[in-house]
Amino acid sequence: MSLDFGPAVALSCRECGTRYPLGPSFACLECFGPLEAAYSFGRVTRADIESGPANIWRYRSLLPVPADVASKPNMNPGWTKLVKAGNLGKALGLKSLYVKDDSGNPTHSFKDRVVAIAVEAARNFGFHTLSCSSTGNLAGAVTAAAARAGLDACVFIPADLEEAKIAMARVFGGKLIGIEGTYDEVNRFCSELIGDPLGDKWGFVNVNLRPYYAEGSKTLAYEIAEQLGWRLPEQIVIPIASGSQLTKIDKGFKELIALGLVEDTPYKVFGAQAAGCSPVSTAYKAGHDVVQPVKPDTIAKSLAIGNPADGPYVLDIARRTGGGVEDVTDPEIVAAIRLLASTEGIFAETAGGVTVGVLKKLAETGRLDPEAETVVLNTGDGLKTLDAISDGARPTAVIRPSLDAFRATV
């Protein structure tokens, strides 16, 4: 089998550095550490990138994908808006605030980015079925991408997910299997299925394809830097589920610096969790290096991973950059969703409520520099989590169709 992963040349263990050939592997045989893509980058210029398509494939020379990736059937996500959030910034006392709004992706969440990379890996390995364990958004992204790529799909979710996310995952076809249990139990089941004949020729995007899949989150870093005029933000607030997105955004920033595409300026990374599933925040505040698993209990179900695989690496990045990790309660999440909507016209799902809620908390407690350029991520569309704000789903008033009735109401 001839493999083409563009600039990616090997898989490397993040813990011990042992290298392996490119393949559908995700754990080091020496120390059981996580594997990630290692590269041999050629010369990459801003002009090369800017001449590319208005999606993640403008960064194909920095990703584990073939050079002709843009010509293949894919969802072509990315190049979402970086919104100058002056109204929200004023409300929070932040001089220069931006919202990176990834709700504009094809299935309305950032998961389209990571799945697009996983699809190319699945093609390389000759897999016929795309699969995943999911807290909701990933299930829809996988079934949509599989339909577009002409692959079968079978995805696994906790059975109690939001109805809108279940409906989205089903509409694209394939099989959607609800598991009685938490996301962590769903993920363990998928790991078992990989070793069974039933899972032969299946690409589990966030398990045996994870080293490739996770690289899609780097494109958020690339886009933010390019959209800011080829510079790094001074502060960034990122949601934490498994923690992979945060670690890959940091990796993307470091790659841009190493390639000379941006100036090497300091940046602070802040992680955001829901209080009902905050193992990384708890470890950070206690000064621990080990993240203790928890049982999730929060409305932010897309972040409800009680045993985040990249938790320890998140702690390292938060401490190295001078950032931090914070959490907010469910009522604070709902209030933040409404604050973002009423100030910037952006309707975030509960994960976005977490990041904006943490942004507000950090600003109010003085942990953010109010003068520094700041980016906060919204990773999904609020239409997926309507239950969170359902108590406000009523008219301001109901009146008779007359001016007198309206005057009385006003």
Side-chain angles (χ1 to χ4, degrees), residues 100-235:
K100 181 58 172 172
D101 185 14
D102 243 25
S103 65
N105 276 310
T107 68
H108 308 289
S109 91
F110 95 94
K111 291 295 187 181
D112 290 316
R113 297 174 181 272
V114 288
V115 172
I117 309 296
V119 166
E120 296 310 311
R123 286 190 175 117
N124 255 312
F125 298 134
F127 292 154
H128 56 63
T129 298
L130 214 58
S131 186
C132 70
S133 52
S134 174
T135 56
N137 284 323
L138 182 58
V142 165
T143 53
R148 173 73 176 139
L151 299 171
D152 293 332
C154 183
V155 300
F156 302 88
I157 60 171
D160 64 348
L161 282 187
E162 299 97 337
E163 186 177 346
K165 290 179 181 176
I166 292 174
M168 172 171 272
R170 285 289 290 125
V171 75
F172 298 114
K175 295 181 177 65
L176 179 67
I177 309 299
I179 301 288
E180 295 175 353
T182 66
Y183 169 81
D184 298 287
E185 291 170 309
V186 176
N187 198 44
R188 282 196 294 272
F189 168 79
C190 287
S191 297
E192 293 174 12
L193 185 54
I194 288 173
D196 190 274
L198 279 172
D200 185 45
K201 294 295 183 181
W202 284 33
F204 290 81
V205 300
N206 52 349
V207 188
N208 62 345
L209 297 181
R210 187 177 181 83
Y212 313 95
Y213 156 94
E215 295 293 284
S217 289
K218 296 193 307 180
T219 61
L220 280 161
Y222 302 153
E223 286 180 21
I224 289 168
E226 184 178 354
Q227 290 170 330
L228 286 175
W230 291 107
R231 66 176 183 270
L232 302 182
E234 294 170 273
Q235 303 172 143

Side-chain angles (χ1 to χ4, degrees), residues 9 83 120 125 128 133 147 163 233 243 245 268 299 375 388 409:
V9 294
V83 179
E120 296 310 311
F125 298 134
H128 56 63
S133 52
E163 186 177 346
Q245 182 187 76
K268 294 182 179 181
I299 60 171
V375 174
T409 301

Side-chain angles (χ1 to χ4, degrees), residues 11-20 27-38 313:
L11 296 180
S12 176
C13 176
R14 204 185 305 182
E15 288 292 329
C16 71
T18 301
R19 287 203 165 195
Y20 298 89
C28 176
L29 299 178
E30 299 294 326
C31 70
F32 302 106
L35 300 181
E36 62 179 0
Y313 304 110

Side-chain angles (χ1 to χ4, degrees), residues 283-323:
Y284 176 81
K285 293 174 182 178
H288 296 162
D289 295 325
V290 176
V291 176
Q292 295 292 338
V294 301
K295 185 174 182 179
D297 182 17
T298 173
I299 60 171
K301 293 184 179 180
S302 60
L303 303 183
I305 297 180
N307 188 16
D310 283 73
Y313 304 110
V314 169
L315 295 174
D316 291 343
I317 291 166
R319 290 165 180 157
R320 188 195 81 228
T321 64

Side-chain angles (χ1 to χ4, degrees), residues 50 54 78 81 87 115 118 158 162 167 185 188 204 209 244 249 259 287 292 297 322 367 369-370 384 396 401 408-409:
E50 291 167 352
K81 293 179 181 179
N87 296 329
V115 172
E162 299 97 337
E185 291 170 309
R188 282 196 294 272
F204 290 81
L209 297 181
S244 176
I249 288 176
L259 291 165
Q292 295 292 338
D297 182 17
R367 284 175 284 175
D369 179 352
K384 294 186 175 190
T396 304
T409 301

